[in-house]
Amino acid sequence: IRVEQCRKQLIICWIGKDMWSKDEERGRIRGLVFRNIQVGGGKFPISRLEGFDETHRIEDVTVDRLRIGETWVDSAETGKFKINPHVAGVRFLAPGR
């Protein structure tokens, strides 16, 4: 996947309530893989992983070979990922790491 321009946020995984929510029960996110993504141009975007609570979590997310500009993302800090306490098992894989 090639993203030519990303204005603010690249990856958002969020469990919450918004104006379109009809159910009171929140869900879960498990087993996501983001692979072979290149981002060019513009500012370095942030990404967010935000679970809702301890029973409505985000788990087992793999970010495999994400490159933003010339930077290979090998950690949450390198990729400007904001991860809240209701997220577990996030892995970053980059060439040579």
Side-chain angles (χ1 to χ4, degrees), residues 79-90:
K80 294 187 179 179
F81 275 73
K82 296 181 178 186
I83 301 174
N84 80 358
H86 307 300
V87 177
V90 180

Side-chain angles (χ1 to χ4, degrees), residues 18-88:
D18 62 21
M19 62 189 205
W20 296 285
S21 297
K22 294 189 187 326
D23 296 331
E24 289 301 315
E25 179 68 21
R26 300 299 117 216
R28 293 161 191 79
I29 298 173
R30 273 191 210 114
L32 289 176
V33 178
F34 297 95
R35 180 175 288 134
N36 294 329
I37 302 171
Q38 296 178 323
V39 180
K43 289 178 70 175
F44 199 106
I46 65 167
S47 293
R48 294 177 22 221
L49 303 177
E50 297 180 15
F52 186 72
D53 60 23
E54 283 304 311
T55 57
H56 303 95
R57 300 168 48 90
I58 297 174
E59 299 177 317
D60 301 322
V61 176
T62 301
V63 179
D64 182 8
R65 293 182 300 255
L66 167 60
R67 190 173 80 191
I68 301 177
E70 297 301 316
T71 303
W72 285 103
V73 175
D74 60 1
S75 67
E77 294 78 25
T78 304
K80 294 187 179 179
F81 275 73
K82 296 181 178 186
I83 301 174
N84 80 358
H86 307 300
V87 177

Side-chain angles (χ1 to χ4, degrees), residues 2-6 38-42:
R2 187 184 340 229
V3 178
E4 293 296 332
Q5 186 177 26
C6 183
Q38 296 178 323
V39 180

